Each structure stands twice: as C-alpha cells, then as structure tokens.
Amino acid sequence: MIPRLLAMMLLALLAGFPAFAGTLEPFQAVPIPERNPQTPEKIELGKELFFDRRLSGDGTMSCATCHDPEKAFTDGLDISLSYPTTKNWRNSPTLVNVAFQKRLFSDGRALSLEDQALFPMMSAFEMNRNLDFLEEVIRSVPEYVAAFQKVFGGEPTRERIAMAIAAFERTILSKNAPLDRYLKGDKKALSDPAKKGLDLFMGKGKCGDCHYGVNLSDGKFYALNVPENPELQSDPRIAVTRRFVAKIYHYEDYRNLSEDPGRYLITKDKKDWKAFKTPTLREIAKTAPYMHNGIFQTLDEVIEFFDKGGGKKNIVLKPLGLTVEEKKSLKTFLSEALTGEETEFQYPKVP
Ligand code: HEC
Ligand code: HEC
C-alpha cells in the first residue's frame, strides 16, 4: 500500500501539475524576433504567400485552406483538412495571437513561426510540396522575384518564404476584446453573468491555473486524457499519418502505435505521454470544434469535461462540482469576453 502511494505521489510530481495560478493580461505589443523585423512590404508578401496555392504540390491548398480568416483562422472541422488521398490527424488551431506562443503545435515540436511554416509545406499529409521545387516555382513569378528583392535584397528561398509568412502571422491578432477593456479598468465592459464567469474561471473552476497571461495559456503541456476521436482509430489513412509522424520522431514501435502520443513524441519522457499544449482561449467562441482531436463540438461539452475532473485516469484535474448556474456563467464569460473587435479582413492580390 505505502510503496504504491509513494509511487503515485512521485508520478503526480512528475506529471507537470500547474505550478501556480497566474494572472490575466490585456492585449499588449507582440514580441518581434530581432532576426526577422516587421516591414509593411514583408507583411504583404507573407500574406500573398499565405493565400497562394502554389505552396501545395497539386495547387489545391494554401495555408488559408486550413486557417481561414472567415473561421478565426481554423477550418471548422474536428480533424483538419488534408492533401488529397491522405488524412490529417489533428484539429486545425486558430492562428489568432499565435505570435505570443512559445512553442507551436499541440505537441510543441516547432519553436518559432519561421521554423513552423516549412512543416505544412513539406508535410505529405498537408501541402505535400518539395521545397527545392517550390523555390523554383516562386522564382518563376516576376512579381515575387521583385518583391523578395525589395524585402530581402535577394532571391526567393525557403527561409525567406517562411520569414515573410511569419511576419504576416504576427499581424493576426485579437484586439480590444471585452476582457481587455475590463482589465484596463472599464468595469462595464463585461455583463454581470460574464463577471461571475470570470470569477469562476480564476477561482472555483481553476481554469486560470493553466489559462492565464495575454493568451490565456501557460504554454505548458498536460495529459487531461480527453476522449479519443473514434475517427482516429477507424480511418486507415489516419493510421498512416500517425505512423509517418512517429517514425520521423524516432518512436521505436511506430507501426503499432494506435493513439496520439502527444508531447511524448518529442521528449520521450513518460510524463508527457498524451500531454497536449494548453491552447489560447482568445476567439474561443469562433474556433469550435475543440481539443487537439476536435472531440468537443460545443463549449458546454468542454465545461462538462472539466467539471467532471477531465478524462479517464488523468491525475492532473479534479472534479469541480459546478452548479448549472455556474456552468452557464462560465460559458457566458468564454463566449462574450474573449472575442476581439470585428475588423474586415483585407485579402491580398496573389500574383
Ligand atoms: C491541410 C491543413 C493545413 C494546412 C494547409 C496548413 N495547416 Fe497549419 N495547422 C494544421 C493543423 C492540423 C495544425 C495542428 C497540428 C499539430 O498540432 O500537430 C496546424 C498548426 C499550425 C500552427 C501552430 C499553431 C499553434 O497553435 O501551435 C501554425 C503557426 C500554422 N499551422 C501555420 C500554417 C501555415 C503558415 C501554413 C501554410 C504554409 C499552414 N499552417 C498550412 C493544418 C494545416
Ligand atoms: C491543468 C491545466 C488546465 C486547466 C486547469 C484547464 N485547462 Fe483548459 N485546456 C488545457 C489543455 C492542455 C487543453 C488542450 C487539451 C487537448 O488538446 O487535448 C485545454 C483545452 C481547453 C479548451 C479548448 C480550446 C481549443 O481551442 O480547443 C477550452 C475551451 C478550455 N480548455 C477551457 C477551460 C476551462 C473553462 C477551464 C476551467 C473550468 C479549463 N480549461 C481548465 C489545460 C487546462
């Protein structure tokens, strides 16, 4: 009995419990890396590339296919779109405020937007584009050649393509949401039920243990054991995608892998088995379905999940005992307070 208890305590320590409840912060200036300064020309070039279907092998997909400005830069599906004949294995996350994230992807396998952008282009189940070939394609478009010359003082390369896209992504922001105005002192910015929801979020609901800061995310990884999406088990195309990614990340028994290992794939650390990144909650009213596998269609389902203390056998969350009224206030907070000012998206003219 005692050794078992000790083992469990040790496991709990290793499991990455939230360290402390942080505070919420209003919108602030975006961090810009020194090696890739923003200029209006670079941002515009990045925007054109983001919408350019030349970036995919068969010319059918751009970044915006799966990160659509009309859907808060998601694709609105549980499991994301994919290159024809293949199948993706995860949900397409919003790119709103992505500039504030320390690690990218739900398993954190990319460390900067510049690195990240090359993944979907190359990835066989996303855009499936050979990068040597892509460079030649972009070099064959006179408007691009002129724009790269102006912005980078040289010809199009994969690194510069990624830098321009990253510069554009740093402009995708959620600004002046009711929560921002409230945190800056406008006490009328939130309705009474939303204020109650905020108190629950930071208090009894313990959401603020992990969802804090400007993005309502601590950027850490937790194994909440959300229910499996049955599609991930039944679709052989998804099994191929899972094995392919696992093989690239040197997961030994990749052929027998039947579930998404989450952060474990990157760290090979037991405590990261099926751990996923705390996502931003900015624009959450517009980014359903939820979780890395899109298993929840509504915020009610998400709140129900946390109220029950998370998924089977997880050791991170505990049941909350929220009343029906409290769940409603929490939902009001999530759906009213975190949606930024509506601004009309200006589409670029892709050459
Ligand atoms: C076929 C659909 C698809 C296309 C095309 C696509 N993405 Fe994604 N994107 C996804 C999915 C799915 C994820 C989540 C993958 C994961 O977590 O492992 C993702 C994740 C991201 C992330 C990380 C966000 C976060 O919160 O960690 C960024 C940034 C991103 N994509 C940018 C891009 C850019 C730039 C392009 C074009 C070069 C692009 N995507 C093309 C589906 C797509
Ligand atoms: C222990 C840290 C932790 C706590 C506490 C926590 N969350 Fe989360 N939350 C996460 C992680 C990690 C995910 C992503 C899980 C996944 O993708 O499998 C998530 C996902 C979500 C999502 C879905 C976001 C999306 O875009 O898919 C919502 C909404 C959410 N949490 C709201 C809440 C609320 C409301 C509470 C409080 C009742 C709460 N969270 C408490 C870590 C936490």
Side-chain angles (χ1 to χ4, degrees):
M1 188 66 201
I2 295 210
R4 202 171 145 220
L5 210 90
L6 271 174
M8 275 179 65
M9 278 166 64
L10 201 71
L11 247 172
L13 268 175
L14 293 170
F17 279 115
F20 64 100
T23 50
L24 294 175
E25 290 162 38
F27 177 79
Q28 50 198 257
V30 175
I32 305 292
E34 245 167 68
R35 65 186 168 118
N36 191 17
Q38 302 280 89
T39 66
E41 290 83 7
K42 193 191 283 173
I43 292 166
E44 195 55 30
L45 173 60
K47 198 193 240 185
E48 288 166 15
L49 292 164
F50 189 89
F51 285 90
D52 194 337
R53 292 188 304 233
R54 290 185 184 93
L55 266 52
S56 63
D58 67 351
T60 59
M61 310 182 98
S62 70
C63 307
T65 306
C66 305
H67 302 288
D68 179 355
E70 304 285 322
K71 299 190 178 100
F73 292 87
T74 72
D75 59 16
L77 299 167
D78 57 346
I79 301 299
S80 179
L81 283 163
S82 52
Y83 193 77
T85 75
T86 72
K87 194 83 184 90
N88 215 315
W89 67 324
R90 287 183 180 155
N91 176 266
S92 166
T94 180
L95 299 189
V96 169
N97 279 18
V98 71
F100 292 103
Q101 294 199 34
K102 291 173 211 90
R103 289 201 175 88
L104 299 158
F105 293 123
S106 49
D107 50 27
R109 66 188 187 280
L111 294 176
S112 73
L113 288 170
E114 283 78 2
D115 296 339
Q116 190 282 334
L118 298 174
F119 282 79
M121 288 185 233
M122 288 187 290
S123 152
F125 59 93
E126 285 180 333
M127 301 168 98
N128 201 14
R129 189 52 132 171
N130 177 292
L131 294 180
D132 288 312
F133 199 85
L134 175 65
E135 286 176 343
E136 296 314 320
V137 171
I138 299 299
R139 285 169 193 160
S140 74
V141 182
E143 290 90 335
Y144 276 141
V145 174
F148 276 84
Q149 189 61 43
K150 195 159 174 220
V151 170
F152 295 105
E155 63 174 354
T157 62
R158 65 194 71 186
E159 290 81 14
R160 288 170 178 160
I161 291 171
M163 284 167 82
I165 292 177
F168 162 62
E169 288 176 295
R170 293 194 174 96
T171 67
I172 306 173
L173 300 167
S174 175
K175 283 188 200 167
N176 213 16
L179 179 69
D180 295 311
R181 284 182 269 131
Y182 183 79
L183 292 173
K184 285 180 186 159
D186 175 1
K187 296 298 164 204
K188 290 202 200 95
L190 296 184
S191 66
D192 284 338
K195 271 184 220 165
K196 265 190 211 137
L198 171 57
D199 288 343
L200 287 161
F201 188 89
M202 296 310 286
K204 186 177 173 186
K206 296 189 164 47
C207 318
D209 287 4
C210 305
H211 295 281
Y212 59 84
V214 61
N215 244 1
L216 297 96
S217 161
D218 59 2
K220 295 187 183 139
F221 303 83
Y222 301 99
L224 310 182
N225 297 2
V226 306
E228 295 289 345
N229 184 330
E231 216 188 319
L232 292 177
Q233 249 76 53
S234 62
D235 193 327
R237 292 172 303 173
I238 300 183
V240 174
T241 299
R242 180 169 52 233
R243 288 180 195 177
F244 170 72
V245 181
K247 186 180 177 185
I248 293 174
Y249 283 90
H250 308 289
Y251 182 94
E252 248 175 63
D253 197 16
Y254 66 88
R255 285 200 183 142
N256 292 315
L257 184 61
S258 61
E259 48 196 338
D260 188 335
R263 178 96 178 127
Y264 178 87
L265 204 52
I266 317 308
T267 62
K268 308 292 186 298
D269 187 337
K270 272 207 178 104
K271 80 171 168 52
D272 289 331
W273 179 252
K274 295 184 86 65
F276 295 93
K277 185 175 64 182
T278 310
T280 179
L281 300 184
R282 293 277 180 183
E283 305 293 324
I284 196 71
K286 298 182 179 172
T287 62
Y290 303 109
M291 305 308 196
H292 71 280
N293 59 1
I295 193 66
F296 297 134
Q297 301 294 322
T298 63
L299 287 172
D300 294 305
E301 289 172 61
V302 177
I303 292 169
E304 210 51 54
F305 169 81
F306 282 107
D307 184 46
K308 287 212 175 77
K312 271 187 203 146
K313 288 189 189 156
N314 91 82
I315 50 169
V316 183
L317 300 168
K318 291 200 179 68
L320 300 170
L322 299 173
T323 65
V324 174
E325 202 58 37
E326 286 172 334
K327 289 180 204 168
K328 248 173 96 181
S329 308
L330 205 47
K331 183 183 173 186
T332 305
F333 168 69
L334 291 172
S335 42
E336 279 181 14
L338 304 175
T339 309
E341 225 164 49
E342 288 276 351
T343 48
E344 202 188 327
F345 187 79
Q346 300 297 322
Y347 286 87
K349 251 173 78 187
V350 176

